[in-house]
Amino acid sequence: MDDDPTVDSELADELLSVCRTTVGDELRSITYFTEDGVEQVYLRSDLERTADLIGFAEHERMGFRSQSAYRNTQLGEYEATIRMFEHGFLTRVIEGRHGTWVTTDSMDIDRFEELSTALRKVLAEYDIGE
């Protein structure tokens, strides 16, 4: 696992900006990841830094490989994964060779679509290449 920061500061600022704009006060955390690294970009002040980011990253990295399973289906292109938990939601977006997961409090389903669309656009702008 790469211990160096994996996210460019400009990208981190952009991720935070689109999440705050789309999600508002329901935003809990933002984490950026690649195949080789993971970095928490934002954590709401009332939450503790107890999450196992490396464990979460290993699970969310499966999305790099599982996207191919959905190619050429009648569902269309993969856009995002939304996971529901007792105390909130996790939205994962992967674009190319990098991705992000965002945790939120409960919110209307339409906002998850807005969030995933905004995140895909930002990640595509900062494509890290092959």
Side-chain angles (χ1 to χ4, degrees):
M1 182 65 51
D2 188 350
D3 292 329
D4 294 332
T6 59
V7 63
D8 176 86
S9 63
E10 191 174 314
L11 172 56
D13 291 344
E14 190 71 21
L15 290 170
L16 180 57
S17 177
V18 299
C19 288
R20 291 293 295 163
T21 299
T22 307
V23 177
D25 292 339
E26 286 84 6
L27 180 62
R28 295 172 65 95
S29 69
I30 304 167
T31 305
Y32 173 84
F33 67 102
T34 64
E35 285 283 357
D36 300 319
V38 59
E39 183 177 341
Q40 191 159 60
V41 173
Y42 169 82
L43 180 68
R44 195 168 68 194
S45 64
D46 65 325
L47 300 174
E48 296 181 23
R49 292 192 176 274
T50 57
D52 175 12
L53 292 181
I54 294 173
F56 271 55
E58 287 305 312
H59 184 72
E60 297 307 328
R61 283 184 182 114
M62 286 189 255
F64 289 119
R65 294 172 289 285
S66 66
Q67 286 184 74
S68 63
Y70 299 105
R71 286 202 173 110
N72 302 318
T73 69
Q74 294 182 18
L75 292 171
E77 291 296 314
Y78 165 83
E79 293 183 6
T81 299
I82 301 170
R83 302 182 196 289
M84 298 182 291
F85 297 91
E86 180 181 3
H87 300 293
F89 294 82
L90 181 147
T91 303
R92 179 193 70 207
V93 175
I94 294 175
E95 182 67 37
R97 296 174 48 118
H98 60 169
T100 187
W101 74 79
V102 174
T103 61
T104 64
D105 294 330
S106 186
M107 57 186 196
D108 185 81
I109 191 70
D110 292 338
R111 291 177 62 203
F112 289 106
E113 186 172 357
E114 291 174 35
L115 175 62
S116 63
T117 298
L119 290 170
R120 273 195 328 275
K121 287 179 183 176
V122 170
L123 290 171
E125 287 176 23
Y126 290 87
D127 184 17
I128 60 173
E130 294 300 319

